[in-house]
Each structure stands twice: as C-alpha cells, then as structure tokens.
Amino acid sequence: MYKKLSGTLFCSLLAMGSYCQTVSGTVTDGDENAPIPGVNIYWEAQQKGTTTETDGTYSLPVEVELPKNLIFSFVGFQTDTVRVQSPGVVNVVLQSSVELNQVEVSERVNAFNMSTMAERNTEEINRNILQKAACCNLSESFETSASVDVVLNDAVSGTRKIQMLGLEGVYVQNLFEGIPFTRGLSNVLGFDQIPGPWLNTIQLTKGVGSVQNGYESLTGQINLEFIPPGKEERIYVDLFANSQERYEANAIWTKPLSDRWSTVLFLNGTTQRKRVDRNEDGFLDMPIREGFHVMNRWKYFGDYFRSQIVLRYVEEERTGGQTKFDFGEDFGSSNAYGIGIDATQMEVLAKMGILSKKRDDRSLGLTASLNKTEIQSYFGNRIYAGEQISARFNSLLSTKFSEYSDHSATLGFHYLYDEYRESFVDSTFGRVENVPGVFAEYTYKRPRFTAIGGLRWDAHNLFGNQFSPRVHLKYNLKPLTTLRATVGRGFRTPNAFADQLGFLASSRQVSVIHSPNAEASWNTGASLLHKFELWNRDVVFTSDYYFTFFENQLVVDRDTDPRRLLFYNLEGESFAHSFQAELQAELTQKLGLKVAYKYQDVQVDYLSGRLRKPIVPKHRLLFNLGYSWAKDKWIADFTANYYGRSRLPQTSSNPEPFQLPGRSRDYFIFNAQINRVLGNFEIYAGVENIGNFIQPDAIVDPENPFGTNFDASLVYGPLNGRVFYAGVRMDLVRNK
Amino acid sequence: MKKVALLIALLAVVLNTSGKGNTEEIILKSSIVCEMCKETIEKGLAYTSGIKVVRVDVEKNEIYIKYNSSKITLEKIKDEINEMGYVAGDQKPTRKEYEGLHHCCKKEGVFDD
C-alpha cells in the first residue's frame, strides 16, 4: 500500500528545524502545461513517498541524505528522475510517453538501471553512466556493464564485436528506438559507427526479443535511444583526444520548430593519425582511421498522430597492417602487408503512430527503413567487396480486448527485402532475400504478474517457412523482487565474411564448404532482481541464467586446420550456458559499488570434435567504484575487469615456433576517470588499461605476413596498452 | 466405511478452506471513473497481506475482493481503499484523501457540495 506521507503534517509534529527540511514544488504536463495531480513522488529505492495535490503541488520531507535521486512517475508519462542536491523547490515537467515498439521501462527505473516493473530482463545504461567512462563510440560504452563484452576481431583492423550470453553480437538485434538497424554488412563496422555522445539511453535486454521487432534477436536486443528534441534549443558539444592522437568531435543541435515539430542534427568526426607500434612486432597496434557520421531527425508530435523520420550517413576509412606499409607503393605486392576497410552507409528510418480518438488503448504503428551499405576492403592481397540494399516495413495494430481489460494483443505484418552482392578474391556471390511475415502477440497484465506470448510466421524465399514463438513471464514476489523467465526461437541469415571480416587478416585459405543455411536457435532463461536495504543503504542484487542452443549455425572453424578458415553448416550441437550474478550498492551517499561475476560455457561440434568455443572466457569479473563529491561537481570512477583464460584455436600442426598455447592468459584491465562539472561545461580525463596489459604474441609469424603461417586473427585481449585521454563537454541552451 | 466417509469429509473441509482461516469474498461499490483508477486500486492492494484477489470492474463501478478474514479485516480493506481516494461500499474517503486523486478520477457526488 502506498502510504501518502503528508510532508507538512509530519514536520509540524516534530517541529525540529533542520530535520524538517522539505523538497516541494509543482509537477506539470509537458504538452498542456497543466498541473498533474496524483503523481507518485518517492526517493529512489524507497517505498514511502507522496503524491501531488489537485493543483499539482507536493511537499516531501527530506528524511534521506542528500544528494539523492527523487523519482516522479505517473501512468502515461515518462518517469523523471531528479538528482536533488539540497532541500528547496524542485519543479518538474513530465513528458507523455506513447512510444511504439519499445521495451516498456516504466516505474522505478533509477540509477541502479534495472526496473522491477518492466516485462523483460532489461538493463538500462543512461547518460550519467555513459559519461562516467571514456566515450567515444558505442563499442566503448559498455565498460561498466558485465552483460556485454567487447572484443577485437583481429590485430590489424581495429573493428570490434560484442559478446552477450557467451555468443557473438550478430545474434543480438540492434534497434534504433525500436527499428532494427546495424545488421548485415553493417556488422563490419559494428558499434564503432555509432558515436557515444549521441545516445541518451541504451537498453540491454537478454533473451529473445518481442516478435514485434522481427525474427533476428536470438540472444538479446540492444535498443538505442538517441538524444531527443526538447522544449528548448540546445547545442551539445563533445570533444575528445587521447595519447595515441585519436581525436573525436561531436556536435548535437536540438531545435523545437513549433508546438509539434522539432528536429535534431547530429555530427561526428573521428580521426586517428599516429602510427603506434608499442609491442614492436612491425605492425600498427591500431589502424589509421578517419570517420564522418551525420544524422538528422525530424519529429512531429500531435494529439493523435506522431511521426519521426531519421536520415543517417556514415563514412569510414581505415588502414592498418605493417608500419612500413604504404598503399600507393605496396598494395598488390609482397613488400609490405596492409589492410584497409572503406565503408559507406546511407540510411532512412521512419515511424508513424496513429492513436484512436475513442479508445486510448488502440493504436496503429508503422515503421519503415531503407539502407544501402558498401564495403571495400583488402587484407594483404585478398580483396573483399560487398554491397547491401535493404528495405523493411513493419505495421502493428495494438489493442486491449475491451476498454478495461487485462488482456491485450498486437497484430502485425512485416516485410523485409535484402539484396547482397559480394566478391572475395576472384569469386562473386550474391543473394536476394524476400521475407513477408505476420505476427501476433498476446499480453496478460496484472499488477504482479505479466505474461506475453508471441508467434511469428515468416515465409523466407530461401529458407522456407520459419516460426518464431516467444514467451516472456514476469512475476513480482514483492514490490521490489522480480522473477522473469523467457523462452523463444529466432533465426537470421549468416554472412560468412561480414560477420567476421577481421578473420581474413591471416594467410588462412577460406573454404565455404556448404552453402549457408539460416542460423536458428532456441533460447531460454530466468532471472531474479531484488532490491533491498542493508544497514540503511540501497542494494540491488540480480542474477540470471540463459541457455541457448542452435538448431543450425554457420560454424566458423579455425581449429580443424590452422591454415584454413572453414565455414560449414552445423552437424551436431552448438550451445551456450551463461550465468551472471551482480550486486550494486550505495556504500555511502557518495560512493557507489558494483560487483559482477559471469560464467560462460560455450561449446560447438566442429569437424574435429566437440570443443569449447575459442576466445570466450569461462570466468569474468567486474568491479566498479564511483565516487562523487562537492554536490556532484566532481565525479571519479574506477573499474577493474578480470577476464579468465579462454581456449585458443588449435595450432599444434604449425611448425613449432608458430604454435600457440592451448589457452590464453587471464588478465586484468583497470580504467579510471575523473569528471569535473563547471556550470554548462564538463571536463574529464582518464586512463585506460592502467596496468598496460598487451596480449603477448598477438600475431603469429609477423615477420612473414605473406607466408603460410601468418595469422592476426587470434586476438583475445587488448593490443593498445596504457592510454591517457581527456575531453570536454558543453551543454549550451539558447535563450530567447 | 464410516472411517473412510469421515476422512473424506475431513479432506473436503480441509480442501475447501484454502489455507488457515476463512476465505471471504465481497463486492464493494466504489467511485471508479477510468483505467487509472483500476490500476491504482489493483496495484495498491496487490501486496496487502491477506488479500488474494482484487478485480476492479470499471463499467460496473465495483471492486471484487477475495481475502483471508483471519489475516485482514473488511474494515481495514475499506480503509485502504479510502486512503487511495475511493469509496469502499458504505465507507467514504475523507476530503483530504479524495483530493489526492487525479482530476479524471474524481467522481461527482462523492462529496455533495
């Protein structure tokens, strides 16, 4: 029972001056500018609180130590969290929340990032957290999350991929505010193509996603929410530089155009020009790189009609390989080994929502996207080029069974078109995918229990009829203790080259033994989330276990023959067990702690037998401390990551000097950063990889890159060494 | 034979009484106006010890409650509903409790003035 605590009554009873500090103010509606009565207001992770009066005003005594987060929530509005520094007046404007196709994260989402009310196991990474670690692109934004690991593909291209539940990032569906993107050939750049400062929130969901978003989420979903337009015109600027002469500049300009129209322009430029070879193996540790990213979004927010259109352009160029490599002179010869990747991408995303005037539980949503991606690359003398044109359309109709029913359903029609044209050395190949599909999702929602059941039927022109049933269950044992369970099937079309382009950085002969079939898997898991107070401190404990097994997989085999890279359809079993336990606690008002442990057991039946998947550590630990002082004007953050030993692909048939141990080393990575806020400015400085751990012998036979033993694709750790960095952020509001 | 009958009767009594104490059901007329009211009441009573089922019927303006009378009294349930700002059968909320409601949830006639 939410007990309303009458602030003024309580304080007048006690009549103790300093103890009776209050926070008070008015809560209004962002759209109508009207006061909102009945808004739930409570201190983070506490049940006691108050609600606003008829005139939207409230008064809440400060019975907690400041600064602390104060949460404002009301049905139909986006929950607002305000960091209260001192007693006084806090006025809040709530924005209404009718967003389609998004994982619903209502109520009780706070700095601990896990909601007790959301249907699925979702971890939220908000801007506060993104800014505590070195920016800069999305791959680098997961440093304080134990759920996602970021690994280099190889030792020369600098491209990265993520790992979730022990499996590669290609099995996770990436969403742009609910619309799938960064798929297919776009996986070559992966998350490097998304500048971190553009993001507002990242939502990580484990387990199969909703049928509404498509069939491609096999192990999870990562939903990206970008900086939205607001009521004021603002410019955010984010500049970054590090000791390896990598520079990044970001500018985000939000502008309301009228009551209903608004726009945001995002710009990013990235450059890395310094040639660094710290381990002196003759190869650049990180490639020379230049990137340009621009995005523009237009939003219309009406009473019953909302729509948005996003235009995005990405251009990236990287050159790596030996330090003496010069493209003009050496490309095509065997004087020096170099790699290069040129990527261009153009994308349009649009969504539209129509709300029923008579029934506010009925809505029609439409999303569409169009994407063209081009990759031109070379690895030594092997050239890979690819072009993909992709078009997607999704329509959803959502309604409750009757106006006040606990039952609701969403029906939809989906269409995906993919055209691929690729060439590798002297072979060309291509395919066209034509996939119409229909889906239905039923939700039963009660205060403590929610069940979602979804069914998808996609008629794939190449792989036949595919069914993807999915179930999500959520049960609140107590208001702050949530149990979740999920089971479901997903599938995707593998891309032998684009999914792991970095593996071409070797002398391995590539053999695609079978024509790839669709990869399909079943995933099931359960999670527990428990928030409680220990010695008057807020603590959150989460634990989850997921099991994924593949009906079919395009097995990427580097074991059966160290001189070959084999691709074949799975014959046997391929599965992954992933267990994670995490504790987050407020040690003192200013000091936050996070400790997490992850266990991964991933095995695949290769041609040479059942083996542990290489480069996936069994054990992983994360430790993070965050400290703020002087009322959040100073913030310090320290992270220690431990990666256990992982199996390395077999190299026992190589000549002796080029044999690698069966297992990798285990290692620690320490990062630290300090932020200082000065009004509209924020400056930050930090160190990555304080311990200067560099993977020893990352490249096999670096002296003869054109010889048969050369292999730069067996990377399990950092190649970068200790890096110092600094940056500036500005948040400028244009006053009229 | 008699023993078996007695056993069956005992079993029937035990099975009919779900748990310790007596399960009672009641339907209370209230002052419900919209979906928000339904959510507020159902969520507000969801964790109350002793209450097994809460179902709000917006159209009929009724709250159906199934509860364990040895764990919670009907009076207490009515008090809790009042605290949220709603009428509970014969019991009205206080003026202050009622004023806390969102304007869309205020029903005419609850306070006649």
Side-chain angles (χ1 to χ4, degrees), chain A residues 54 107 400 406 446 448, chain B residues 35 38 43 46-47 54 106:
Chain A
T54 18
E107 299 196 26
K400 283 197 189 174
D406 294 326
R446 294 285 300 158
R448 289 172 72 171
Chain B
E35 173 73 22
K38 173 174 147 87
K43 199 185 275 179
Y47 298 95
V54 181
K106 289 194 172 148

Side-chain angles (χ1 to χ4, degrees), chain A residues 149 151-154 161 163 166 168 503 558-559 600 602 606 612-618 643-649 660 662-664 667 695 712-717:
Chain A
D149 288 325
V151 292
L152 283 168
N153 277 313
D154 60 274
K161 66 177 173 221
Q163 269 179 1
E168 286 82 4
F503 286 9
R558 292 182 289 175
D559 278 283
Q600 296 171 132
V602 187
Y606 294 99
R612 281 223 123 73
K613 192 145 197 192
I615 311 188
V616 177
K618 242 203 206 175
Y643 296 89
R645 306 179 72 176
S646 60
R647 192 183 73 81
L648 291 176
L660 290 177
R663 297 209 286 166
S664 74
Y667 60 95
Q695 178 186 337
S713 71
L714 307 176
V715 175
Y716 64 84

Side-chain angles (χ1 to χ4, degrees), chain A residues 1-4 36-38 51-54 74-75 107 117 400 403-404 406 444 446-448 476-479, chain B residues 33-36 38-39 42-44 46-48 54-55 58-59 80 83-84 96-97 99-103 106:
Chain A
M1 173 59 199
Y2 294 119
K3 290 223 177 329
K4 259 190 348 196
I36 315 175
T51 53
T52 50
E53 310 281 338
T54 18
F74 193 64
V75 162
E107 299 196 26
M117 292 307 289
K400 283 197 189 174
E403 200 167 356
Y404 305 109
D406 294 326
Y444 173 67
R446 294 285 300 158
R448 289 172 72 171
N476 276 73
L477 226 61
K478 294 198 276 187
Chain B
V33 174
C34 59
E35 173 73 22
M36 236 179 269
K38 173 174 147 87
E39 283 189 29
E42 286 182 351
K43 199 185 275 179
Y47 298 95
T48 307
V54 181
R55 283 223 136 79
V58 178
E59 275 148 2
E80 299 239 335
E83 266 179 78
M84 292 183 249
K96 179 121 187 108
E97 288 165 340
E99 289 300 328
L101 287 174
H102 188 267
H103 62 82
K106 289 194 172 148

